Amino acid sequence: MAARKRALATVTAKPDPEKPKPETHQTDPPIRPAKFATILKFFLVFSIPYCYLIFFHYKIDFELRKSILINAVVCFLGFLITVRMIPVASKYVLRRNLFGYDINKKGTPDGSIKVPESLGIVVGIVFLVVAILFLFNYTPDSNWLVEYNAALASICFMILLGFVDDVLDVPWRVKLVLPSIAALPLLMAYAGHTSIIIPKPLVPYVGLEILDLGWIYKLYMGLLAVFCTNSINIHAGINGLEVGQTVVIACAILIHNVMQIGASSDPEYKQAHAFSIYLIQPLLATSLALLSYNWYPSSVFVGDTYTYFAGMTMAVAGILGHFSETLLIFFAPQVLNFLLSLPQLAGIVPCPRHRLPRFDPQSGLLTGTNDGTLVNFFLRQFGKKTEKSLCILLLVFQAICCGFCFLLRWFLTGWYK
C-alpha cells in the first residue's frame, strides 16, 4: 500500500518545469546474507577425503598435482567473486522484473517476497572466466587445447540457452533439441576412443573383448549431454535442491578422478581425468557460492540458466574424462526422477506447469501429490516434512547413490571388466 501511495504521488505531483527533480530509482530490499556456516559444512565433508587422496594416499606426479592446486586456488578466487557478485546482480534482475514468488511458502510472509531469478547467470559467467584463465596451463601445441575450447563452447551455449529460457520460457520440445546442438562442438572435437570394453562374463558369447561402436558411441555421448542438462532441471522445486545435487555429484566426480589418476600409470589416461578436474573444480566453487544464497530459506532462485549449465558441465567432464558409465550411476536419483516423470513428460498423464508438493501454511509442512517426481515420491513414502528437511533427505540419498557407485566399481573390478 505504501508503494502504491508513493507511485500515485509521483503521478499527481506537478514539479516545477524549470527545476526538474533528479531521477530516482526505487530501492530494492537487500537479500538475506550468505549462509557461510552451511557452506563450510559442505566443504569440510568433501575437502578432507579429497585432500587426503591427493597429498597422502596416492603418489601423484608433482607437475600434475601442482596444476590441480593452481586450478583450486583460481577457483577459490572465483568463489569469492561469485559471493560478491550475486547480491549486485540480484538488484539488476529485480529492476528488470526477473523475479518469482516461493510457491512452497505461499500463505506466509516469505511467500510474498520477490525472489530474484536467473542468478545462475552469475555462476556461469564466473565459471567461464576461471576456465578461460586456466587456458594458460596448456601450451599452444597441446592436443587437449582443442577439446578444452570445444568444451567451453558447449557450456557457453547452454548458459545462453538457459538464460533465454528464463526470459522467454522456451517450449519443452526446444529444450530437448538445443542441448544436442550445443554438444556438437564437443563431439566434433572429440579425439578419444569410440570403443567399449565388453564385460568379461559376456566375452564368450560376443567373441570380442573390445567393440568399436564408431558413430553410435558419439550418438550416445550426445544423448548423455541432453539427459544431464534436463535431468537436473526437472529434479527441482525446493530451496537448495538444484545446487545441492550438483555439489554432491561434483564432489563425487572429483574424488573419482583423483582415484583414477592415482591408480593409473598411463599418462594419457591421467590427463583425461585431470582435464575433468579442471572443469569440475570451478563448477564446485561457484556452485557453493550460489548455494550460500539458495539454501533454505532461499534468497535467490537459480533459474534454468544454472541447471542447464551445471548439467552440461558435468556431461562434458564425463565424456572427455572417459567415465560416462560412472557418471550415469552418479546420476541415479536423476534417472529415477526421469522414469517417474516420463508418463507426464510424454503426455500420457496430465502434466501441470508446477509439479510441486502441497504446502500447509499452518503447519509449515509439505505434502506429496500424485505428480511423478522424486520430491513427491519421497513425501508419499516418508510422510510430511519441512522444505529444509526434505532437501537434506534428498541430498543424503544423492550422496548414498554416489557412494554406492564407488562400492560397485570396487566390487566389480577384475570380474566385470
Side-chain angles (χ1 to χ4, degrees):
M1 182 61 71
R4 186 177 301 173
K5 289 180 179 178
R6 285 196 300 271
L8 182 61
T10 303
V11 174
T12 58
K14 297 180 179 179
D16 187 358
E18 297 180 359
K19 298 180 180 180
K21 294 183 178 180
E23 183 181 357
T24 58
H25 295 282
Q26 183 178 356
T27 57
D28 300 308
I31 65 174
R32 295 186 181 96
K35 305 171 185 68
F36 290 115
T38 302
I39 300 308
L40 183 61
K41 295 176 184 177
F42 273 98
F43 178 73
L44 290 177
V45 170
F46 159 73
S47 62
I48 292 175
Y50 186 61
C51 293
Y52 170 75
L53 292 175
I54 292 179
F55 293 104
F56 301 102
H57 189 75
Y58 293 113
K59 294 182 179 179
I60 301 177
D61 297 337
F62 174 77
E63 290 298 327
L64 187 57
R65 180 187 297 169
K66 183 179 73 172
S67 182
I68 293 174
L69 293 179
I70 291 175
N71 182 264
V73 171
V74 178
C75 292
F76 178 71
L77 297 177
F79 169 83
L80 297 178
I81 294 173
T82 307
V83 169
R84 179 70 175 174
M85 289 300 299
I86 286 177
V88 177
S90 298
K91 298 178 182 179
Y92 283 96
V93 297
L94 283 174
R95 292 174 187 172
R96 296 296 179 266
N97 291 326
L98 286 174
F99 64 86
Y101 295 99
D102 201 328
I103 300 177
N104 289 329
K105 298 179 180 65
K106 190 176 181 180
T108 66
D110 286 341
S112 59
I113 297 176
K114 294 181 179 180
V115 182
E117 270 274 17
S118 306
L119 267 299
I121 189 66
V122 177
V123 176
I125 292 174
V126 176
F127 170 88
L128 289 176
V129 171
V130 172
I132 291 172
L133 287 177
F134 199 68
L135 282 172
F136 293 104
N137 185 66
Y138 292 102
T139 57
D141 59 343
S142 175
N143 294 330
W144 286 98
L145 190 58
V146 175
E147 294 190 359
Y148 196 84
N149 286 326
L152 293 183
S154 296
I155 294 170
C156 185
F157 188 91
M158 289 312 302
I159 295 173
L160 173 62
L161 171 62
F163 191 69
V164 169
D165 188 18
D166 285 331
V167 176
L168 302 180
D169 196 12
V170 177
W172 264 104
R173 59 183 178 273
V174 178
K175 297 180 183 181
L176 294 176
V177 174
L178 289 183
S180 59
I181 299 176
L184 287 179
L186 175 66
L187 300 180
M188 295 299 293
Y190 180 75
H193 61 79
T194 57
S195 59
I196 59 173
I197 300 176
I198 302 297
K200 291 182 180 179
L202 299 179
V203 170
Y205 303 97
V206 179
L208 296 171
E209 293 185 359
I210 299 178
L211 177 63
D212 188 9
L213 297 179
W215 65 270
I216 299 178
Y217 188 83
K218 290 194 174 183
L219 176 63
Y220 159 73
M221 291 189 295
L223 294 176
L224 178 66
V226 174
F227 169 76
C228 289
T229 53
N230 286 282
S231 61
I232 294 180
N233 188 37
I234 64 175
H235 184 37
I238 60 177
N239 291 171
L241 181 56
E242 298 97 322
V243 192
Q245 62 184 296
T246 301
V247 167
V248 174
I249 298 174
C251 292
I253 292 175
L254 288 176
I255 292 175
H256 170 72
N257 284 324
V258 173
M259 292 175 64
Q260 295 304 305
I261 291 174
S264 176
S265 57
D266 183 3
E268 193 71 15
Y269 186 77
K270 290 183 177 181
Q271 188 60 41
H273 284 280
F275 181 93
S276 177
I277 291 177
Y278 301 151
L279 291 176
I280 296 299
Q281 282 190 155
L283 173 65
L284 178 60
T286 52
S287 295
L288 284 174
L290 181 59
L291 186 61
S292 67
Y293 291 98
N294 185 242
W295 188 251
Y296 182 91
S298 180
S299 304
V300 300
F301 289 152
V302 300
D304 292 339
T305 309
Y306 176 79
T307 57
Y308 290 166
F309 148 71
M312 178 58 81
T313 303
M314 289 187 286
V316 167
I319 291 171
L320 297 183
H322 309 307
F323 58 92
S324 56
E325 293 179 357
T326 302
L327 183 66
L328 275 179
I329 303 178
F330 288 155
F331 272 77
Q334 287 72 24
V335 173
L336 178 58
N337 182 69
F338 172 74
L339 295 176
L340 292 171
S341 303
L342 197 56
Q344 288 183 314
L345 296 178
I348 302 174
V349 178
C351 182
R353 177 175 175 80
H354 298 293
R355 301 184 299 162
L356 298 176
R358 287 191 301 269
F359 175 69
D360 182 7
Q362 302 298 325
S363 62
L365 300 178
L366 297 175
T367 304
T369 65
N370 292 325
D371 290 317
T373 64
L374 194 60
V375 171
N376 287 304
F377 177 79
F378 265 57
L379 286 172
R380 293 195 299 266
Q381 295 299 317
F382 299 103
K384 300 179 180 180
K385 292 190 175 297
T386 63
E387 187 174 2
K388 182 178 180 179
S389 60
L390 176 61
C391 182
I392 293 174
L393 181 63
L394 288 167
L395 295 184
V396 168
F397 178 65
Q398 182 80 61
I400 291 174
C401 290
C402 293
F404 173 75
C405 178
F406 288 112
L407 181 63
L408 189 65
R409 286 183 60 90
W410 175 80
F411 180 74
L412 295 180
T413 299
W415 174 79
Y416 184 72
K417 286 186 178 180

